[in-house]
């Protein structure tokens, strides 16, 4: 079967050779046209950040205009992105396409007035930038990051947590799992169905530290997987055993909900049937500070609403897991620039954007 491009070229050749009349050419040309080619993208100028107002820049990209350039430099975005089929765009434009796509659920056709490109180009550029950010920066949150998890900083995090009323003096962060709903797949529905949340979804495990950063992220895994199973698969505890120590050699820990096992570097609430007043006080004090991890889950979705539109998150058609990881990386960048509720709650400033991505 001939491709659409081949058919259209044959029509032009046939018309030029006199094999088909003008009326036949117009009719056949219209029948073999692509919806994507009918968008009037040529009526719009190519993207220029300078032409964007401050209000539009904040609404479209979640950043002020001057902060977009800082993010480009911090991420070390290349001067040019080149897609597999040959489309080329500047690095700044490519990052802005990604930011606009994630900021709110929208069709690529809705982005044409901003970028002056057809739908296929916008889609391919967006996927290319997602792949680039994932490949070059995923290690910052998917591996142990010594830039934010060195012994001195672990002590600072633990002190901030203790100062907010926590019973533990050596707790530097909090771990929890989150389910991101997706469109119901056609096959293997049971694998991604989470009975607790009653949704089809993918699960991620996050470690949050008091300065508002996502220090470690694992996933995606199938929605039915238990948090304890994710902990084992992520090898997070192995990293804690190797690296989670203070400058004096004291074991530092993270805190999780009752789904997690009790270990030296991983603490959890008391789960006895009969709890003493001291046990209840301990659970209450740790629960009050552990809610910070839930705030970060909300921040990622609030800033990148595209992740909350499950009907557009289809396994096999979208890079669902990779999208969440990339958004988490950019969320850390936004935290470095503006802070968030977690950093304000613990009164601990995040690092600068340049220091985090150094």
């Amino acid at each position: 079967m001939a491709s659409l491009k081949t058919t259209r070229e044959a029509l032009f050749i046939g018309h030029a050779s006199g094999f088909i009349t003008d009326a036949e050419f117009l009719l056949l040309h219209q029948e073999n046209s692509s919806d994507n080619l009918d968008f009037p993208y040529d009526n719009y100028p190519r993207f220029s950040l300078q032409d964007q107002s401050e209000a539009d820049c904040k609404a479209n990209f979640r950043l002020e205009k001057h902060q977009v350039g800082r993010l480009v430099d911090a991420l070390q975005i290349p001067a040019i992105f080149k897609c597999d089929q040959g489309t080329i765009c500047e690095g700044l434009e490519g990052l802005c396409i990604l930011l606009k796509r994630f900021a709110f659920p929208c069709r690529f056709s809705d982005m044409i007035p901003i970028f002056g490109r057809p739908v296929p180009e916008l889609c391919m550029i967006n996927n290319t930038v997602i792949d680039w950010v994932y490949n070059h920066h995923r290690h910052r949150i998917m591996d142990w990051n010594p830039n934010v998890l060195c012994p001195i900083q672990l002590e600072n995090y633990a002190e901030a947590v203790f100062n907010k009323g926590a019973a533990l003096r050596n707790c530097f962060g909090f771990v929890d799992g989150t389910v991101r709903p997706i469109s119901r797949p056609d096959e293997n529905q049971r694998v991604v169905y989470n009975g607790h949340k009653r949704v089809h979804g993918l699960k991620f495990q996050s470690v949050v530290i008091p300065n508002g950063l996502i220090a470690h992220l694992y996933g995606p895994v199938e929605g039915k997987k238990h948090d304890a199973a994710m902990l084992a698969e992520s090898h997070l505890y192995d990293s804690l055993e190797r690296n989670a120590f203070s400058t004096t050699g004291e074991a530092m820990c993270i805190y999780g909900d009752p789904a997690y096992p009790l270990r030296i570097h991983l603490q959890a609430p008391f789960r006895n049937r009969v709890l003493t007043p001291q046990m209840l006080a301990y659970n209450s004090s740790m629960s009050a500070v552990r809610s910070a991890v839930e705030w970060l889950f909300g921040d990622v979705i609030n800033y990148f609403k595209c992740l909350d539109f499950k009907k557009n998150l289809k396994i096999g058609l979208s890079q669902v897991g990779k999208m969440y990881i990339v958004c988490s990386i950019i969320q850390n960048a936004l935290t470095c620039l503006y802070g968030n509720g977690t950093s304000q709650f613990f009164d601990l400033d995040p690092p600068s954007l340049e220091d985090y991505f150094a």
Side-chain angles (χ1 to χ4, degrees), residues 97 108 111-112 115 117-126:
I97 288 174
F108 284 110
M111 299 165 57
I112 291 177
F115 298 100
R117 289 181 179 271
V119 169
E121 287 189 10
L122 290 172
C123 180
M124 287 182 285
I125 292 171
N126 180 69

Side-chain angles (χ1 to χ4, degrees), residues 134 138 141-143 176-178 180 202-207 214 216-223 225 230-231 233-236 320-326 328:
Y134 176 82
R138 70 176 184 269
I141 59 174
M142 302 193 76
D143 299 329
D176 200 1
T178 182
R180 293 311 320 146
L202 299 177
K203 290 194 73 172
F204 295 85
Q205 173 185 274
S206 295
V207 175
I214 300 172
H216 190 274
L217 179 69
Y218 174 73
V221 298
E222 56 270 27
K225 193 172 290 292
M230 273 201 302
L231 177 70
E233 289 184 3
S234 68
H235 299 290
L236 171 62
V320 183
K322 192 178 290 186
M323 288 165 58
Y324 187 86
I325 294 170
V326 169
S328 297

